[in-house]
């Protein structure tokens, strides 16, 4: 939950900060601002008064002149009184929550505090929001007593991920007759982050006994923490205090303790963001499915205790993550997930054409599990993707045929996509083609069935 800053404004002619220091703009400029704030009613009264005064002068009617002066003076007096009235009003904004999945709602709470000794008049409150979040909210606040407080709230919702500014907050002050209206804006704004949809994935074993996933955990020499005692043969120079007598008696030769601990399994989630690999736009496009799938896989792997890394086709990763990625099943895993979700919230198509930068980032033979979300692949890029399998302990690929997604579920997967699927499978990938409208959970389970060899083969004409 994020809270906006606390600001104070003087709607009567200048801004006042929280310490009470006033930054006046000058009487002349402030008066011009007040006159420019005349409403249609106020301008009509002023024009009618001037016209009546001219007619009274021409016709010599003193009574009409008094009426004209009254009509013209009323909006001017209202503007002057509104300009001279000093209100000190503080405003704050609070988002609940500040990070929300696409398609979900967030509530924005606004609070106005009258920190002056005078009651306010009628206040009209308006918050600026991007059009994708809904209509601009407006509120009318009746008289706020000295030291009083008013709270209002509204909801925002977006089907498109991204970072959206909320604010600045605008406050409009009007006189009782509606002759004049002055608008003041607070200086800062808050940001609502709309992250991709995350679907909870079932625990499957996509890579079988491959190292780096499931129960096949690698081990390394322990540097700290609790040790697992594993005996080995004595070597010249070993400390005799490390002799393991029970194993020595069992094997009939001198054995020493070798202290090891499990190494955290690693997973790299590769997201293809090439603009040439995806067609179409919007929340139901193939690219948005790939982003949502990558987000779901990242969260799932973190929850299972993996060290997770997010990688794109350009070779870039999430800023701040370590060499092996973010560690899961730890106190910082929630912060790591939030950081990667923030990255995916603003990820967009890249201008890159090749997958070679991502291939160069992958270390040889020690990557653990590789989960990739590919767009359209030509023969050259499919060959690069096939070589990535050699640099991972296990590899799972989700292929998205953009043409199929544009045509809809009634169409058929392209022959080119079917050929790329065959190339990846022959290279050792567990690869599936994602049909339009499929859920991430369905495809996750489909990949598990492909690995186990229990699913029917994918055909260009449909999906099994």
């Amino acid at each position: 939950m994020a809270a906006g800053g606390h600001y104070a404004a003087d709607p009567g002619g200048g801004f006042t900060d929280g310490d009470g220091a006033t930054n006046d703009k000058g009487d002349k400029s402030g008066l011009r601002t007040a006159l420019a704030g005349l409403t249609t009613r106020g301008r009509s009264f002023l024009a009618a008064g001037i016209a009546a005064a001219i007619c009274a002068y021409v016709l010599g009617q003193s009574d009409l002149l008094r009426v004209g002066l009254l009509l013209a003076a009323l909006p001017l007096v209202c503007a002057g009184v509104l300009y001279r009235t000093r209100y000190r009003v503080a405003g704050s904004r609070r988002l609940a929550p500040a990070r929300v999945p696409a398609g979900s709602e967030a509530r924005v709470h606004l609070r106005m505090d009258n920190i002056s000794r005078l009651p306010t008049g009628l206040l009209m409150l308006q918050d600026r929001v991007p059009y994708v979040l809904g209509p601009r909210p407006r509120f009318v606040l009746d008289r706020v007593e000295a030291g009083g407080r008013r709270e209002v709230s509204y909801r925002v919702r977006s089907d498109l991920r991204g970072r959206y500014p909320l604010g600045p907050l605008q406050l409009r002050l009007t006189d009782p007759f509606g002759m004049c209206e002055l608008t003041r804006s607070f200086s800062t704004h808050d940001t609502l982050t709309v992250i991709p949809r995350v679907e909870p994935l079932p625990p499957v074993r996509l890579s079988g006994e491959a190292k780096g996933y499931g129960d096949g955990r690698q081990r390394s020499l322990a540097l700290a923490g609790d040790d697992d005692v594993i005996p080995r043969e004595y070597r010249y120079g070993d400390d005799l205090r490390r002799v393991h007598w029970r194993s020595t008696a069992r094997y009939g030769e001198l054995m020493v303790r070798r202290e090891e601990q499990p190494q955290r399994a690693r997973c790299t989630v590769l997201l293809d963001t090439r603009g040439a690999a995806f067609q179409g736009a919007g929340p139901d496009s193939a690219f948005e499915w790939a982003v949502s799938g990558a987000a779901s896989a990242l969260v799932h792997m973190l929850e299972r205790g993996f060290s997770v890394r997010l990688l794109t086709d350009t070779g870039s990763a999430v800023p701040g993550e370590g060499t092996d990625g973010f560690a899961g099943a730890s106190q910082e895993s929630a912060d790591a997930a939030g950081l990667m979700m923030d990255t995916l919230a603003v990820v967009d198509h890249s201008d890159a054409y090749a997958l070679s930068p991502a291939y160069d980032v992958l270390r040889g033979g020690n990557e653990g599990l590789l989960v990739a979300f590919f767009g359209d692949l030509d023969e050259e890029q499919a060959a690069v993707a096939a070589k990535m399998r050699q640099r991972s302990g296990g590899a799972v690929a989700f292929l998205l045929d953009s043409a199929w997604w544009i045509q809809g579920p009634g169409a058929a997967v392209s022959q080119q996509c079917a050929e790329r699927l065959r190339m990846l499978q022959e290279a050792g990938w567990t690869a599936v083609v994602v049909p339009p409208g499929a859920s991430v959970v369905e495809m996750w389970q489909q990949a598990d069935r492909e690995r186990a060899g229990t699913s029917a083969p994918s055909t260009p004409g449909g999906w099994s």
Side-chain angles (χ1 to χ4, degrees):
M1 184 176 295
H6 190 269
Y7 325 105
D10 179 4
F15 290 91
T16 306
D17 59 27
D19 296 331
T22 302
N23 302 319
D24 288 327
K25 300 179 180 179
D27 292 339
K28 292 183 179 180
S29 61
L31 185 59
R32 285 196 298 267
T33 302
L35 293 177
L38 290 175
T39 61
T40 302
R41 180 185 299 177
R43 296 176 186 273
S44 300
F45 268 67
L46 182 59
I50 295 175
I54 294 176
C55 292
Y57 176 78
V58 173
L59 299 176
Q61 297 290 331
S62 58
D63 293 338
L64 182 59
L65 178 61
R66 287 191 288 270
V67 173
L69 293 177
L70 178 62
L71 291 176
L74 182 60
L76 297 178
V77 170
C78 291
V81 172
L82 195 62
Y83 165 71
R84 298 303 302 176
T85 302
R86 299 286 174 171
Y87 295 133
R88 296 187 64 208
V89 182
S92 63
R93 180 189 299 105
R94 179 169 54 90
L95 307 181
R99 184 188 292 119
V100 61
S104 300
E105 290 185 342
R107 180 172 288 276
V108 183
H109 300 269
L110 303 177
R111 193 183 75 181
M112 303 301 299
D113 294 276
N114 182 11
I115 57 178
S116 65
R117 298 180 180 179
L118 298 175
T120 68
L122 188 66
L123 300 178
M124 287 177 287
L125 197 62
Q126 177 178 278
D127 205 9
R128 290 185 178 180
V129 300
Y131 72 95
V132 296
L133 298 182
R136 181 170 296 180
R138 295 179 175 89
F139 305 94
V140 177
L141 304 181
D142 205 352
R143 178 179 179 273
V144 182
E145 65 279 3
R149 174 188 302 173
R150 297 290 185 272
E151 294 185 2
V152 293
S153 64
Y154 64 93
R155 293 181 179 273
V156 290
R157 180 181 182 274
S158 175
D159 292 328
L160 299 175
R161 54 186 177 79
R163 294 174 61 88
Y164 300 101
L166 299 178
L169 192 64
Q170 291 183 329
L171 189 65
R172 290 191 296 173
L173 182 66
T174 184
D175 65 281
F177 300 101
M179 298 291 180
C180 184
E181 184 179 276
L182 296 181
T183 302
R184 293 291 182 265
S185 297
F186 295 95
S187 58
T188 60
H189 62 272
D190 292 315
T191 301
L192 175 68
T193 303
V194 181
I195 63 176
R197 295 185 182 92
V198 176
E199 298 185 28
L201 303 180
V204 299
R205 191 164 172 169
L206 296 175
S207 59
E209 296 300 330
K211 56 185 177 180
Y213 193 83
D215 298 329
R217 302 298 180 91
Q218 301 174 9
R219 310 180 72 87
S220 64
L221 291 179
L223 299 178
D226 297 332
D227 297 328
D228 294 331
V229 179
I230 300 178
R232 63 169 174 81
E233 296 180 0
Y234 174 83
R235 298 172 186 170
Y236 178 78
D238 286 339
D239 190 349
L240 293 178
R241 291 176 298 180
R242 301 175 65 88
V243 173
H244 194 259
W245 298 109
R246 181 179 301 176
S247 298
T248 299
R250 178 181 179 183
Y251 293 102
E253 59 181 328
L254 199 60
M255 306 289 290
V256 296
R257 295 190 305 271
R258 180 178 59 181
E259 297 175 348
E260 295 185 351
Q261 69 177 10
Q263 179 182 1
R264 189 181 302 277
R266 289 192 297 268
C267 174
T268 298
V269 177
L270 173 61
L271 176 62
D272 185 3
T273 64
R274 296 173 300 134
F278 294 94
Q279 303 176 25
D284 297 327
S285 63
F287 181 67
E288 293 301 322
W289 192 98
V291 175
S292 178
S296 302
L298 288 169
V299 173
H300 176 71
M301 292 302 176
L302 278 174
E303 291 176 348
R304 297 202 62 186
F306 280 69
S307 292
V308 181
R309 177 174 60 170
L310 173 62
L311 186 66
T312 65
D313 57 284
T314 60
S316 60
V318 178
E321 69 177 9
T323 305
D324 293 333
F326 291 105
S330 63
Q331 187 175 1
E332 295 81 13
S333 60
D335 296 335
L339 183 57
M340 287 189 285
M341 292 303 104
D342 289 344
T343 302
L344 290 176
V346 296
V347 70
D348 202 355
H349 293 295
S350 68
D351 297 330
Y353 171 76
L355 296 172
S356 301
Y359 173 76
D360 295 336
V361 172
L362 298 175
R363 296 186 301 272
N366 197 25
E367 280 300 310
L369 177 64
L370 175 62
V371 181
F373 296 85
F374 292 121
D376 296 332
L377 299 174
D378 56 20
E379 186 174 358
E380 179 181 357
Q381 301 311 313
V384 174
K387 291 190 296 183
M388 292 181 183
R389 175 63 182 88
Q390 304 172 2
R391 298 195 170 188
S392 63
V396 183
F398 298 91
L399 275 67
L400 292 104
D401 186 358
S402 296
W404 192 11
W405 276 74
I406 292 177
Q407 297 172 6
V413 63
S414 65
Q415 187 64 34
Q416 176 180 342
C417 183
E419 178 63 22
R420 305 299 176 252
L421 176 67
R422 184 188 61 79
M423 290 181 60
L424 294 181
Q425 290 176 340
E426 290 179 351
W429 283 80
T430 298
V432 295
V433 179
V434 180
S439 69
V440 180
V441 175
E442 293 173 352
M443 301 313 302
W444 191 258
Q445 294 173 334
Q446 174 72 12
D448 181 48
R449 293 192 295 268
E450 290 283 346
R451 176 203 61 83
T454 57
S455 63
S458 304
T459 58
W463 184 257
S464 57

